[in-house]
């Protein structure tokens, strides 16, 4: 609880644009029952035309209602469900390491030890903490998947739990795009692996699957519609990557001219994506990504910290060996979920991607916990060696954890503050305080989607905005231009230096020294100038 709530509203040091969008759309739902565009109770939020899944927005409505439109309120659901996931993984592991026949594959002491250590390791996991302290939908989806699998196993003893299995599986798919791919595959694996157990309460399970299918029809129908999931896929998948498409066309033409049949096959537009997908999948098992530096998206990890502790590596390795030696169907399920988790990220650009592959997290912690317990079992007859090894490894974990805390709370806000859109709040607050003095205020689009900060921090009336966002009249919005009243959000060019009675909020590169009258500067936490505010 402390790790997820301490400085939640101030670290990360600013809301990123997706968090601000989630917050304002929750505020709009609260006030009007519609999103920022006026769509009533949508199942997909248009936002920046990236069509966000709905669950996180609706979960944010109560916290915004109680706490107001603040960073803390927007991040509160992530923190709460991060805590729920830590608790749920304990009970999930107990179910995972038991068998239907009650055979003692694991002793009760072993089960409890692995369950408690899994809980501990998830509680302090850099990967899990990163997405429990900001409004990332993937964290919510992962929590719901853990709960769905937990209640699937509990339903073997009390069939009505299949309804909770269905509920959490549905919520998982409505929480984040990745689970729309892997959750149906997981349901298929559950049927294949546990058909005998399912058959004992086949009516309850059939009802739960029917509920899942009917409830997710809007998700999968959106694959063939404009907007929704299809729009999101078109933005991020390797299949729509123009660079790959151009390479395919060029190389296939060249191969055809040279009568090179092998290259014609390799560079065919239907085949060229396969090596990229394989590479994208394997990227998620990269040592540097997992244990040293994380991925290229600096908002996804702490400075100089991997997605997992370096300490975890040997114990994950030991845990995998230990669990594979047991080879129960439940343990095979854990491995299949673990191996399926990177698939959604593999078919997208920008791999490795820890949010799209977020379903990997619980398995890593369970493997590490099993590794520690197995090592203790192996050394249990050598008391002095056991105490020495566990004490030393415990000390190393404390050191690793302490460095993570130092990195997250001291280094990261300074080193990575720019990527969290630091400065937008200060810029729009300055503009709001002085807007009566100007006919026009222009704010740069260099840092992307500045308009959402104007809406968020000024708590712009959603009813008014729903009537005025469509300034073009055709229902479309330009990603690099927005107009709201006297505000224009766009890239600043020299022609804007000749406008009269205008306030410019732009980067030092856009506004050279000597242009207009400098009113203020806003700096990133590392001291670099984020914005110059100039009166023309």
């Amino acid at each position: 609880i402390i790790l997820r709530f301490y400085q939640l509203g101030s670290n990360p040091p600013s809301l990123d644009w997706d968090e601000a969008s989630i917050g304002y759309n929750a505020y709009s739902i609260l006030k009007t029952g519609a999103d920022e565009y006026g769509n009533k109770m949508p199942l997909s939020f248009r936002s920046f035309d990236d069509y966000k899944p709905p669950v996180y927005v609706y979960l944010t409505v109560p916290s915004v209602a109680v706490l107001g439109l603040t960073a803390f309120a927007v991040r509160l659901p992530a923190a709460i469900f991060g805590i729920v996931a830590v608790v749920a993984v304990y009970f999930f592991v107990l179910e995972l390491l038991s068998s239907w026949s009650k055979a003692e594959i694991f002793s009760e002491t072993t089960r409890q030890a692995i369950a408690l250590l899994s809980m501990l390791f998830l509680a302090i996991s850099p990967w899990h903490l990163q997405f429990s302290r900001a409004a990332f939908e993937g964290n919510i989806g992962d929590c719901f998947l853990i709960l769905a699998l937990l209640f699937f196993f509990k339903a073997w003893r009390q069939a009505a739990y299949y309804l909770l299995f269905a509920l959490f599986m549905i919520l998982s798919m409505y929480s984040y795009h990745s689970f729309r791919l892997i959750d149906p595959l997981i349901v298929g694996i559950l049927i294949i692996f546990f058909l005998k157990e399912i058959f004992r309460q086949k009516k309850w399970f059939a009802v739960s699957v029917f509920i899942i299918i009917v409830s997710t029809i809007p998700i999968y129908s959106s694959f063939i519609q404009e907007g929704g999931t299809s729009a999101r896929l078109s933005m991020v998948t390797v299949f729509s990557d123009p660079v790959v498409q151009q390479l395919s066309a060029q190389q296939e033409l060249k191969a055809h001219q040279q009568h090179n049949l092998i290259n014609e096959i390799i560079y065919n537009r239907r085949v060229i994506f396969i090596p990229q997908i394989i590479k994208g999948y394997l990227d998620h098992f990269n040592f540097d990504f997992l244990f040293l530096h994380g991925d290229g998206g600096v908002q996804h990890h702490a400075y100089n910290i991997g997605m997992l502790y370096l300490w975890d590596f040997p114990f994950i390795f030991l845990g995998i060996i230990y669990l594979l030696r047991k080879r129960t169907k439940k343990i095979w399920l854990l491995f299949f979920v673990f191996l399926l988790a990177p698939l959604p990220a593999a078919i997208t650009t920008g791999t490795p991607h820890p949010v799209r592959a977020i379903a990997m997290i619980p398995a890593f912690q369970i493997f590490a916990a099993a590794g520690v317990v197995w090592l203790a079992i192996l050394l249990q007859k050598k008391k002095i060696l056991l105490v020495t090894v566990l004490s030393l490894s415990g000390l190393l974990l404390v050191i690793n954890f302490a460095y993570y805390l130092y990195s997250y709370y001291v280094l990261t806000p300074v080193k990575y503050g720019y990527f969290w859109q630091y400065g937008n709040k200060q810029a729009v607050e300055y503009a709001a305080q002085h807007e009566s003095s100007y006919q026009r205020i222009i704010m740069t689009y260099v840092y992307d989607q500045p308009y959402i900060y104007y809406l968020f921090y000024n708590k712009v009336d959603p009813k008014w905005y729903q009537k005025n966002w469509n300034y073009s009249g055709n229902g479309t919005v330009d990603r690099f231009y927005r107009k709201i009243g006297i505000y224009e959000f766009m890239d600043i060019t020299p022609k804007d230096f000749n406008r009269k009675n205008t306030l410019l909020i732009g980067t030092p590169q856009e506004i050279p020294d000597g242009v207009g009258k400098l009113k203020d500067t806003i700096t990133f936490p590392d001291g670099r100038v984020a914005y110059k505010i100039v009166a023309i």
Side-chain angles (χ1 to χ4, degrees), residues 45 62 267 273 360 394 399 425:
F45 282 81
Y267 290 105
F273 304 105
M360 298 177 80
I399 293 171
K425 177 183 179 181

Side-chain angles (χ1 to χ4, degrees), residues 482-498:
R482 296 269 182 154
K483 181 174 174 57
I484 306 174
I486 67 168
Y487 287 79
E488 290 184 78
F489 300 91
M490 63 185 188
D491 291 341
I492 295 173
T493 62
K495 69 179 182 181
D496 298 312
F497 304 158
N498 298 318

Side-chain angles (χ1 to χ4, degrees), residues 173-184:
M173 286 186 270
Y174 274 102
S175 294
Y176 191 55
H177 297 291
S178 292
F179 296 98
R180 299 175 177 188
L181 175 60
I182 66 171
D183 283 5

